[in-house]
């Protein structure tokens, strides 16, 4: 799934605009718009890929807590960065690149939700790391 959706995002956000720009139907400054909007989907796809990696590691017999904590941190970071980029960075970057007017915040409820969930997952991964350290310390006492 990650590969197929990644190819679609790459096709729509990178390859088609570059071909259109090279054919002369689009100027170079408007080429940046689709490239900027593809950053968030690539962050989200990295999160999905990280989940697949964690499932593979668990299937190969890796330690559950360490694997899940690492996956939660990576997925949380990917979702958080993608959400923050789509809500705050993309609109302001496009305002700068295209010299356009508009708001400083793209009120994207999905992006805001993904950003907040990403932050919560990242923090949950840290909590699992601390719980594993406490468990190891308790195991040493016994």
């Amino acid at each position: 799934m990650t590969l197929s959706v990644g190819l679609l995002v790459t096709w729509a956000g990178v390859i088609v605009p570059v071909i259109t720009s090279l054919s002369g139907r689009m100027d170079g400054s408007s080429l940046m718009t689709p490239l900027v909007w593809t950053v968030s989907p690539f962050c989200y796809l990295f999160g999905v890929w990280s989940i697949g990696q964690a499932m593979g590691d668990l299937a190969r017999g890796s330690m559950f807590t360490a694997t899940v904590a690492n996956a939660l941190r990576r997925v949380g970071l990917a979702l958080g960065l993608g959400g923050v980029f789509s809500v705050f960075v993309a609109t302001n970057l496009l305002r700068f690149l295209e010299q356009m007017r508009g708001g400083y915040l793209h009120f994207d409820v999905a992006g805001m939700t993904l950003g907040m969930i990403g932050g919560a997952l990242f923090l949950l991964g840290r909590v699992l790391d601390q719980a594993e350290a406490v468990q190891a310390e308790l195991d040493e006492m016994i």
Side-chain angles (χ1 to χ4, degrees), residues 60-136:
R60 286 188 290 279
S62 295
M63 297 297 294
F64 181 80
T65 307
T67 303
V68 171
N70 187 29
L72 285 173
R73 282 193 318 274
R74 288 191 307 177
V75 170
L77 190 62
L79 293 180
L81 288 176
V84 166
F85 188 88
S86 72
V87 173
F88 296 106
V89 178
T91 54
N92 290 310
L93 189 59
L94 291 175
R95 288 179 68 218
F96 175 72
L97 291 173
E98 296 182 356
Q99 304 297 321
M100 61 185 224
R101 296 174 53 193
Y104 294 100
L105 171 72
H106 176 63
F107 190 74
D108 178 21
V109 176
M112 291 176 180
T113 304
L114 285 172
M116 288 185 286
I117 290 172
L121 289 176
F122 183 81
L123 293 175
L124 185 59
R126 302 259 322 202
V127 168
L128 276 178
D129 279 338
Q130 292 173 355
E132 184 180 27
V134 168
Q135 181 66 41

Side-chain angles (χ1 to χ4, degrees), residues 133-142:
V134 168
Q135 181 66 41
E137 186 175 332
L138 289 174
D139 287 344
E140 287 177 7
M141 288 181 191
I142 296 177

Side-chain angles (χ1 to χ4, degrees), residues 3 11-12 16 21 35 37 46 65 76 89 95 101 113 118-119 124 133:
L3 181 64
W11 178 260
V16 170
S21 176
L35 294 177
W37 286 116
F46 175 73
T65 307
V89 178
R95 288 179 68 218
R101 296 174 53 193
T113 304
L124 185 59

Side-chain angles (χ1 to χ4, degrees), residues 20-35:
T20 306
S21 176
L22 292 175
S23 68
R25 290 181 282 185
M26 182 190 312
D27 61 349
S29 64
S30 59
L31 173 67
M32 293 304 293
T33 301
L35 294 177

